Amino acid sequence: MSHNNKHTANPVVPKDGIAGLKENFSTDAMSGFLVFLLALPLSLGIAKASEFPPIMGLMTAMIGGLLVSFFAGSYLTIKGPAAGLIVIVAGSVAELGNGDATVGWHYALGALVVSGLVQVLFGMMRMGSLVDFFPLSAVHGMLAAIGIIIMSKQFHILLGVSPTTHEGKSMVEPLELLAEIPKTLGHFDHQVAIVGLVSLAIVLLWPKVKQPFLKKIPAPVLVLLVAIPMAKIMGIKGKMLIHFDQDFIHTLAWNVDFGGFAQAGTFIKYVIMFALVGSLESLLTVKAIDLMDPAKRKSNANKDLIAVGLGNTFAAFLGGLPMISEVARSSSNVNNGAKTRWANFFHGLFMLIFLFLDLQFSDLIPNAALAAMLIGVGIKLASPKEFGRMAKIGPEQLVIFTTTIIVTLATDLLVGIGVGILVKLISQYILGAPLSSMFKARVQDHGDKMEVLGAAVFSNWLGINKVLSKKALDKNLVLDLSRCNVVDHTVMENLHHLHRDFEVAGGHLTIVGLEELEYSSKSKHEMSARKRPKDSRVDKLGNIK
């Protein structure tokens, strides 16, 4: 971890509110338009894959921009439907509706309303640091599993095939869908496959284009420009194209139904998954976009959770998908030069204009093109490079990451993340973390110096951070980890971010004691867990043997 003591020059911070709108109108409006172009096909695809009416993806993005931007605690994130929640949404429609997609959609909305209120509570209870409790290797494993599940379904749609079980029902289990791939390769629709594979090639290869002007065109927009004429020329019709059953005005009604309450266990399971996974993804995005923000602003994670929760509750009443602070659209927003939250507002405004002006355009879009976009998202979430990165950080991180993926694919997201956390706790114990420090932070606060005894790990980080959060970031602080048996990967990542926060505020965080610990990885990656040699472990009193 780099700890140079050079203070970066204070960046110019754009104004907020109406003053910010006047100051940055052109840049934010242009970025909002470019993000709208990216969000349009993705929102349609996410809704379709989630077993929701496609128009609801657009309405969710519209609400995420027009409404949520006014309450958000982050400045540059884009709110909208999330590919990472497709698995949960589609699962809730199937389970709560007992196979009837229309009933399942209405019942799923009931669970979404409640989960939105839970997110509001999370924010009010100041649980914005919730993301720091979950081990990063398990979280990345969960996201990779979601990517694999998305690809397992969309691969068949890409080739124009709809896999069914022996009872004639659509397959939903990821392992079944993966096992069905050889069969699909044997009898796919050749015309649909050509459109799908060309679309996938654009999704995968377009980001490699170096020309600055061309890079401004989002890959999903180029996919539509190519796939729609191809589908028309080839005469692809019917179920192979997206269709809207009604126009936007007729969708503006209370579509929610709380009949799913009758299935108490299933209903509660999905409320928990929507609230937990949605909040985690949002908070991870807020954290990542703060690091990209040229103005070095620090978001209010709790306020952002409340805003997203309110947006989710309102969108669910109207029939919309769950929204999060979405990482791909938010990254694009920063790269497009956005300065304030008005860029998110403009993205929603352009979505509204599109909804009112011409929905017939959407009836031309081949499902295979949307499948290609979602496979691109899945590949990013489950990138093979992620396995190599985890191995470099530490063999125990690779075990946690891989175990989370396998268990999630075999069961569901809650069980997968739970098992990942359990494996992480076991690995910490094996590395030498004392049981007395596993969940309870043992911190000695000496004002401008803090000492952590026993262990600094994900499961006691909230306690450590509680003390750290009371320190002024514009001062100098020494954090002594020399009397720890284990400092895990999640804490190393959190300290890296904290070090930056001190630097930006004009202070400095000096971390001492790590030099006395060994790397858990042969690569000596800067984010690797650190462990004390067995012959010099710290005892219960914090004394080194």
Side-chain angles (χ1 to χ4, degrees):
M1 192 183 303
S2 172
H3 301 296
N4 74 55
N5 204 17
K6 292 177 184 176
H7 296 327
T8 54
N10 287 333
V12 176
V13 179
K15 294 172 184 174
D16 202 7
I18 298 300
L21 175 64
K22 292 176 181 176
E23 181 185 69
N24 305 290
F25 179 86
S26 58
T27 52
D28 285 348
M30 178 53 71
S31 181
F33 178 69
L34 292 172
V35 172
F36 152 73
L37 292 177
L38 173 65
L40 174 64
L42 284 175
S43 298
L44 287 170
I46 290 165
K48 185 109 175 51
S50 301
E51 305 296 338
F52 268 45
I55 194 172
M56 293 305 168
L58 304 185
M59 188 161 71
T60 303
M62 179 197 74
I63 293 168
L66 290 181
L67 177 68
V68 179
S69 55
F70 288 105
F71 308 102
S74 54
Y75 299 95
L76 296 177
T77 58
I78 299 295
K79 316 298 187 193
L85 293 176
I86 287 173
V87 178
I88 309 175
V89 181
S92 69
V93 171
E95 282 196 58
L96 291 170
N98 293 314
D100 187 326
T102 304
V103 173
W105 166 48
H106 290 293
Y107 285 1
L109 294 174
L112 282 167
V113 167
V114 177
S115 70
L117 295 174
V118 170
Q119 286 182 306
V120 172
L121 281 176
F122 281 171
M124 291 173 70
M125 293 165 67
R126 306 188 66 76
M127 291 176 69
S129 55
L130 179 77
V131 67
D132 295 329
F133 173 77
F134 290 85
L136 290 175
S137 41
V139 170
H140 287 298
M142 177 192 74
L143 294 173
I146 288 170
I148 293 169
I149 294 169
I150 289 170
M151 289 188 284
S152 74
K153 175 80 177 284
Q154 298 304 316
F155 178 80
H156 302 283
I157 297 170
L158 185 87
L159 300 181
V161 177
S162 179
T164 55
T165 62
H166 294 300
E167 295 83 27
K169 295 179 180 177
S170 290
M171 284 187 180
V172 292
E173 295 299 325
L175 295 180
E176 278 185 334
L177 286 164
L178 289 169
E180 195 73 6
I181 287 175
K183 189 176 175 183
T184 291
L185 289 172
H187 65 277
F188 58 87
D189 185 309
H190 289 78
Q191 288 185 320
V192 172
I194 290 170
V195 173
L197 292 172
V198 168
S199 299
L200 184 59
I202 294 170
V203 168
L204 298 179
L205 299 176
W206 191 248
K208 300 183 187 299
V209 171
K210 304 294 183 188
Q211 217 282 335
F213 175 74
L214 292 177
K215 284 180 79 71
K216 285 284 184 185
I217 304 170
V221 173
L222 187 61
V223 167
L224 296 188
L225 292 175
V226 172
I228 290 173
M230 281 184 73
K232 197 79 173 168
I233 292 166
M234 291 182 175
I236 295 172
K237 298 175 182 176
K239 291 181 180 179
M240 297 303 174
L241 300 177
I242 275 220
H243 289 290
F244 289 141
D245 296 327
Q246 53 189 359
D247 62 32
F248 175 56
I249 297 296
H250 287 95
T251 65
L252 295 176
W254 273 178
N255 285 304
V256 67
D257 190 322
F258 292 98
F261 269 125
Q263 305 170 56
T266 304
F267 188 88
I268 292 168
K269 178 181 83 169
Y270 281 108
V271 167
I272 293 170
M273 285 206 284
F274 284 135
L276 193 60
V277 179
S279 297
L280 275 175
E281 283 205 68
S282 264
L283 292 168
L284 285 168
T285 296
V286 168
K287 214 172 189 178
I289 300 304
D290 274 2
L291 293 174
M292 293 177 66
D293 183 1
K296 307 296 183 192
R297 289 164 289 191
K298 189 161 177 62
S299 297
N300 183 331
N302 295 309
K303 187 180 176 185
D304 210 62
L305 262 186
I306 293 171
V308 168
L310 288 171
N312 278 329
T313 300
F314 183 65
F317 270 114
L318 294 176
L321 290 147
M323 72 180 73
I324 64 166
S325 297
E326 204 282 325
V327 68
R329 277 156 263 170
S330 299
S331 301
S332 173
N333 192 40
V334 176
N335 293 331
N336 292 336
K339 298 290 191 292
T340 73
R341 67 184 76 234
W342 287 103
N344 184 35
F345 173 84
F346 281 118
H347 136 264
L349 180 62
F350 286 118
M351 197 68 74
L352 175 65
I353 293 168
F354 175 81
L355 282 165
F356 271 117
L357 288 185
D358 191 12
L359 276 172
Q360 295 309 309
F361 161 76
S362 307
D363 286 0
L364 304 172
I365 300 173
N367 286 326
L370 297 183
M373 296 176 206
L374 293 175
I375 289 172
V377 172
I379 290 171
K380 284 180 184 175
L381 289 172
S383 170
K385 291 179 182 177
E386 197 69 12
F387 288 85
R389 193 177 74 85
M390 285 294 164
K392 281 184 180 178
I393 293 173
E396 79 285 355
Q397 303 304 322
L398 182 60
V399 170
I400 297 159
F401 177 74
T402 309
T403 302
T404 305
I405 292 173
I406 293 169
V407 175
T408 300
L409 291 176
T411 56
D412 62 38
L413 289 170
L414 275 185
V415 177
I417 194 80
V419 171
I421 290 170
L422 180 62
V423 174
K424 175 73 170 181
L425 289 169
I426 293 169
S427 76
Q428 286 175 176
Y429 182 71
I430 292 171
L431 287 174
L435 288 173
S436 59
S437 299
M438 200 78 86
F439 294 99
K440 186 178 180 182
R442 297 164 64 199
V443 180
Q444 292 183 354
D445 188 357
H446 307 295
D448 58 358
K449 181 180 179 182
M450 270 177 62
E451 272 188 289
V452 182
L453 311 181
V457 290
F458 86 95
S459 48
N460 70 9
W461 171 255
L462 293 180
I464 296 170
N465 195 42
K466 190 175 179 181
V467 181
L468 280 167
S469 63
K470 294 175 183 174
K471 305 295 181 184
L473 293 174
D474 59 351
K475 306 292 182 185
N476 292 340
L477 176 69
V478 175
L479 180 63
D480 188 349
L481 302 173
S482 62
R483 289 201 279 170
C484 284
N485 285 339
V486 178
V487 179
D488 81 350
H489 160 56
T490 302
V491 171
M492 292 299 296
E493 287 267 13
N494 290 338
L495 292 177
H496 178 74
H497 294 145
L498 190 65
H499 180 265
R500 173 189 175 276
D501 291 343
F502 269 86
E503 294 293 302
V504 169
H508 186 66
L509 175 66
T510 304
I511 299 170
V512 299
L514 286 178
E515 65 280 356
E516 298 179 25
L517 309 181
E518 300 173 344
Y519 287 87
S520 72
S521 167
K522 288 181 181 178
S523 71
K524 295 187 177 181
H525 192 282
E526 64 174 354
M527 295 303 167
S528 291
R530 311 297 167 89
K531 59 180 181 176
R532 183 168 286 284
K534 285 185 179 179
D535 57 358
S536 64
R537 293 268 167 89
V538 174
D539 62 22
K540 288 182 179 180
L541 299 174
N543 299 315
I544 299 172
K545 294 176 186 176

